[in-house]
Amino acid sequence: MCPKALTFLLVASIQIYTETYGDDFTVMSILKNDWENTPSTWVGADPCGGNWEGISCDNSRVINMTLAAVGLIGQLSENISSLSELEVLDLSYNTGLEGSLPPSIVKLKKLKQLKLVGCGFTGPIPESIGSLELLESLELGSNRFNGTIPPSIGNLSKLLVLDLFNNLLEGSIPVSSGTTSGLDMLVKAQHFHLGRNRFSGTIPDELFSSNMTPIHVLLPTPLWDWASRTS
Ligand SMILES: *[C@@H]1O[C@H](CO)[C@@H](O)[C@H](O)[C@H]1NC(C)=O
Ligand SMILES: *[C@@H]1O[C@H](CO)[C@@H](O)[C@H](O)[C@H]1NC(C)=O
Ligand SMILES: *[C@@H]1O[C@H](CO)[C@@H](O)[C@H](O)[C@H]1NC(C)=O
Ligand SMILES: CC(=O)N[C@H]1CO[C@H](CO)[C@@H](O)[C@@H]1O
């Protein structure tokens, strides 16, 4: 074959390749490079080929990344925000995952479950997290998140589980006023884990709104044990 035809074939196949896997392949390569101890099945060009452990796809787009307790070490790259079809991100119990939660995570508009329990994350919970309006589970317990609880979490009207247990969060528990949001707006949430932080003040009475569905509370720290307050 003459060199021109070869060049053409090469260009054409690169084009097809990027159209098929697009950004998701690029992002998965970045994550794989950034992390130690990714599964040995993470080989080959296509993360949606069906063999990448913990990855599920729909139409060649990554929709579910579930890699709990596999010993990942590294940071969460802001480039994860390009996995725009992602619905489930569960990296729980990887104590070697450190650094901050990139604010770009709020570009993952389809996210329903964000589970980063028992990792080594530090720094603030991004204020913009309240714009992930499809979130049903926000589980950030047992990390070293600090700063205050973003009031915008109250905007997450589909939230069923809120776990901020065992972090370094301070300040008061936000409740809504006419203009700001607060956790009292989470009328659907059935699991609230807020214990073992550094909150100040008392539990605001507004949190026990009559709109709330019965709450299943799993809090070992008596101060924050809603079950004992509401029973
Ligand atoms: C995501 O993937 C994990 C592991 O493959 C699976 O257990 C879980 O049910 C999936 N979640 C959804 C919502 O499909
Ligand atoms: C949360 O809702 C409030 C009031 O509706 C709004 O002002 C704010 O911009 C929202 N925040 C986010 C992060 O979506
Ligand atoms: C949160 O912790 C980081 C170190 O991980 C520190 O630099 C920062 O000042 C802390 N922020 C607050 C609000 O305490
Ligand atoms: C490793 C890598 O490609 N990182 C990129 C992530 O995205 C930012 C911009 O959002 C780039 O500047 C980095 O180079």
Side-chain angles (χ1 to χ4, degrees), residues 101-200:
L101 186 57
S104 66
I105 201 140
V106 304
K107 292 188 189 155
L108 298 175
K109 291 295 180 223
K110 303 221 171 150
L111 215 52
K112 292 181 184 160
Q113 300 179 20
L114 179 57
K115 302 186 182 182
L116 303 172
V117 178
C119 298
F121 289 106
T122 52
I125 300 172
E127 166 64 30
S128 48
I129 199 110
S131 61
L132 290 176
E133 50 188 39
L134 298 183
L135 266 192
E136 294 166 4
S137 281
L138 178 57
E139 304 179 39
L140 305 177
S142 297
N143 282 279
R144 295 190 301 277
F145 287 111
N146 64 3
T148 53
I149 298 185
S152 74
I153 287 180
N155 292 19
L156 300 171
S157 60
K158 295 188 189 311
L159 206 63
L160 301 172
V161 180
L162 176 64
D163 176 12
L164 304 176
F165 180 80
N166 194 22
N167 277 289
L168 304 170
L169 299 168
E170 56 191 25
S172 53
I173 310 273
V175 292
S176 62
S177 68
T179 50
T180 61
S181 309
L183 300 196
D184 54 311
M185 293 160 62
L186 299 173
V187 293
K188 273 192 171 175
Q190 311 208 323
H191 298 267
F192 271 91
H193 305 202
L194 302 178
R196 276 215 222 160
N197 275 289
R198 296 173 170 179
F199 297 125
S200 49

Side-chain angles (χ1 to χ4, degrees), residues 54-69:
I55 303 295
S56 326
C57 298
D58 184 35
N59 277 322
S60 292
R61 299 297 312 274
V62 176
I63 57 168
N64 180 342
M65 187 187 309
T66 297
L67 279 179

Side-chain angles (χ1 to χ4, degrees), residues 30-39 42 65-78 80 89-102 105 114-123 139-145 167:
I30 292 173
L31 297 182
K32 191 178 151 182
N33 280 334
D34 279 357
W35 290 342
E36 283 174 51
N37 299 332
T38 50
W42 283 27
M65 187 187 309
T66 297
L67 279 179
V70 298
L72 293 178
I73 298 174
Q75 302 210 347
L76 189 56
S77 166
E78 62 177 316
I80 196 162
L89 179 60
D90 184 354
L91 303 174
S92 296
Y93 306 111
N94 290 293
T95 51
L97 276 185
E98 296 179 336
S100 55
L101 186 57
I105 201 140
L114 179 57
K115 302 186 182 182
L116 303 172
V117 178
C119 298
F121 289 106
T122 52
E139 304 179 39
L140 305 177
S142 297
N143 282 279
R144 295 190 301 277
F145 287 111
N167 277 289

